[in-house]
Amino acid sequence: MRKFQRITQFSDDNNRSQREHIPLDLIVEIVSSLPAKSIVRFRSVSKLWSSIITTPDFTSSVVTRSLSSRPCVLLIFQKHDKLFFFASPVHQKKTCPNVENFQYTIPNNGKLQRCESVLGLIYLETSTNVMFIRNPITKSFFTLPKLDSKEGRPPTGFLGYDPINGKYKVLCILKERNKIGILTLGAQESWRILSKGFLSHYKVTGYAKCIDGVIYYEGSFGDGLRQELAIMSFDLRSEKFSLIKHPKKSSIATIWSSYEGRLALVSSIASGVSLWILEDADNHKQWIYKHFPSHREFIKERWKLKGVTRTGEFIYTSYRAYVLNVEGRVLYQWFRILYVDPKRNSMRVVMHGGIAVDDIRRLDEVGYDLMKDLIVIPNHIEI
């Protein structure tokens, strides 16, 4: 509760008397127990309630509660500066007629370069070096502060969450070598620049994953012909870096995921799915290899591997879709997601009718190919 006690004190006598009548911890308890979809409306109750609801600590607590009960797969379709978001419930029957969706236009005619979801917050990075985040509680986007130009242009950033201190942080690898920016989300958001305490690296590929308070990302180390691909880990609590030997020679067609609470590099191969799993995260030395053969009824050519759920199911999207003819034009009526459970040797298909007609017409109007440039984010929560 110490985090909430730092909220601004208001001088108005009525507000002071109300807070003296209702303890702050009780207010937090009341607000956090509200239905998730009602929380946004209750921001208008008072400035105090609004301050509580918009803190990163409150966001993480509500999202953690919702994530355990209503995990989603986030589908992001992009065309030029238009982004179309669809939240698809994981635990769903064969058909899902209604899918929660929203649209966003990237500022400055930018294009989306990176996107990830960390405990509900969606981090997005554009080709125009704009970094912004969507908060599922407030249903809003906010742009991160710009770095000082003298520190170098940021090639990429990563969002992470420290579960011990309850803080979100953004790690930014600057174009100028030996400089890294760190931004802690909160009331006073400003970048801190690190210039030591880590090995010099560059050409970050964009592969990254935050697991249990540690951000893992891929980088290139060394000079000239001696460049080597490796993995860097950043502990969000101690802000210390560690170098991890890369288990693969190439990252082509590789998905970074959390598998049974550990970092996993996942690839779809001819015989099924291969995983390199970081077994010993503390010593950064031990990787184990696992292979799961394709399901006997699985026709691989029709599907593309997109991620892994918290329960270990592989997520595929279809290259083909059921279509609907409207006035001589072909529109997609159903979008399909395939979940394959390798341990139970089972699979299930969820068909989403909500991504249809009006939504697809909007995509079609901007010249979008539904099966191209699709981003799938597992283990998301859309409140």
Side-chain angles (χ1 to χ4, degrees):
M1 303 315 301
R2 292 195 303 271
K3 299 167 185 173
F4 293 110
Q5 289 171 354
R6 292 194 295 267
I7 296 173
T8 303
Q9 306 293 313
F10 301 104
S11 59
D12 186 86
D13 292 338
N14 290 332
N15 287 343
R16 183 182 295 111
S17 63
Q18 288 178 6
R19 192 169 65 239
E20 290 175 353
H21 181 67
I22 304 177
L24 182 59
D25 57 349
L26 181 56
I27 293 177
V28 175
E29 185 67 25
I30 292 172
V31 177
S32 62
S33 63
L34 293 171
K37 291 186 177 181
S38 300
I39 291 177
V40 175
R41 298 199 304 270
F42 281 89
R43 290 178 61 190
S44 60
V45 170
S46 68
K47 292 182 179 180
L48 178 61
W49 281 46
S50 178
S51 299
I52 293 173
I53 290 172
T54 54
T55 59
D57 308 286
F58 183 84
T59 298
S60 63
S61 64
V62 174
V63 169
T64 301
R65 182 190 66 194
S66 300
L67 185 59
S68 61
S69 60
R70 296 200 315 272
C72 293
V73 170
L74 187 66
L75 310 175
I76 305 177
F77 303 95
Q78 59 175 318
K79 183 63 179 181
H80 301 308
D81 63 343
K82 298 284 193 298
L83 299 178
F84 302 86
F85 297 78
F86 298 86
S88 168
V90 172
H91 302 301
Q92 190 58 253
K93 297 181 180 180
K94 291 185 178 180
T95 59
C96 180
N98 296 308
V99 178
E100 186 171 5
N101 63 83
F102 54 95
Q103 181 180 345
Y104 184 74
T105 300
I106 301 175
N108 303 324
N109 295 317
K111 294 182 180 180
L112 184 64
Q113 289 193 154
R114 291 194 65 253
C115 181
E116 60 184 317
S117 176
V118 177
L119 201 63
L121 292 187
I122 307 173
Y123 170 85
L124 303 105
E125 182 179 297
T126 74
S127 58
T128 53
N129 299 320
V130 177
M131 295 175 283
F132 54 102
I133 289 176
R134 183 179 191 267
N135 188 320
I137 301 293
T138 61
K139 305 290 185 182
S140 62
F141 290 85
F142 62 91
T143 304
L144 298 182
K146 289 186 177 181
L147 280 156
D148 192 327
S149 58
K150 67 181 181 181
E151 301 296 351
R153 184 172 62 86
T156 193
F158 310 109
L159 175 65
Y161 178 72
D162 173 11
I164 304 298
N165 296 316
K167 293 182 179 180
Y168 290 92
K169 293 183 181 181
V170 177
L171 180 71
C172 186
I173 314 301
L174 301 178
K175 188 174 183 180
E176 182 180 344
R177 296 183 64 176
N178 299 322
K179 283 192 176 182
I180 290 178
I182 299 176
L183 176 70
T184 301
L185 302 187
Q188 297 179 346
E189 297 176 352
S190 60
W191 289 96
R192 292 179 289 114
I193 305 300
L194 302 183
S195 58
K196 58 183 180 179
F198 53 89
L199 291 176
S200 175
H201 57 285
Y202 58 103
K203 291 184 179 179
V204 177
T205 61
Y207 289 102
K209 194 68 181 177
C210 179
I211 302 174
D212 196 24
V214 178
I215 296 177
Y216 300 93
Y217 63 94
E218 193 173 56
S220 180
F221 299 79
D223 296 305
L225 299 177
R226 301 183 62 183
Q227 293 182 14
E228 182 178 353
L229 196 65
I231 296 172
M232 183 73 86
S233 72
F234 175 71
D235 188 296
L236 289 157
R237 185 185 182 190
S238 65
E239 298 191 350
K240 292 183 178 180
F241 294 85
S242 297
L243 187 65
I244 305 173
K245 185 177 180 180
H246 206 295
K248 301 180 64 178
K249 294 182 179 180
S250 172
S251 295
I252 298 176
T254 299
I255 296 171
W256 285 41
S257 178
S258 173
Y259 185 80
E260 296 180 344
R262 293 169 290 175
L263 175 65
L265 277 55
V266 187
S267 301
S268 178
I269 58 179
S271 59
V273 177
S274 67
L275 296 90
W276 284 100
I277 304 169
L278 185 59
E279 180 72 9
D280 189 355
D282 293 331
N283 295 324
H284 305 130
K285 294 180 179 179
Q286 186 67 40
W287 291 87
I288 61 172
Y289 177 80
K290 285 189 178 182
H291 175 264
F292 293 102
S294 297
H295 190 276
R296 59 182 179 276
E297 299 177 3
F298 180 62
I299 304 176
K300 182 181 177 183
E301 289 73 18
R302 296 183 180 180
W303 302 90
K304 185 175 182 179
L305 181 64
K306 287 290 188 176
V308 184
T309 68
R310 296 174 71 90
T311 57
E313 290 181 299
F314 299 136
I315 304 172
Y316 292 85
T317 56
S318 177
Y319 281 111
R320 304 177 184 179
Y322 295 92
V323 298
L324 173 68
N325 290 295
V326 178
E327 298 178 354
R329 301 176 67 188
V330 177
L331 300 175
Y332 290 90
Q333 182 181 17
W334 293 98
F335 183 83
R336 298 183 295 173
I337 298 179
L338 174 67
Y339 296 91
V340 177
D341 189 328
K343 294 184 177 180
R344 296 183 179 180
N345 195 29
S346 63
M347 63 182 186
R348 57 190 176 91
V349 177
V350 177
M351 301 175 63
H352 295 278
I355 308 178
V357 188
D358 291 339
D359 295 320
I360 298 304
R361 184 176 290 114
R362 288 189 291 112
L363 291 173
D364 189 68
E365 286 174 353
V366 295
Y368 182 78
D369 181 353
L370 186 65
M371 303 314 298
K372 184 180 180 181
D373 296 329
L374 166 65
I375 297 175
V376 177
I377 298 181
N379 311 319
H380 177 69
I381 177 65
E382 188 61 35
I383 297 174

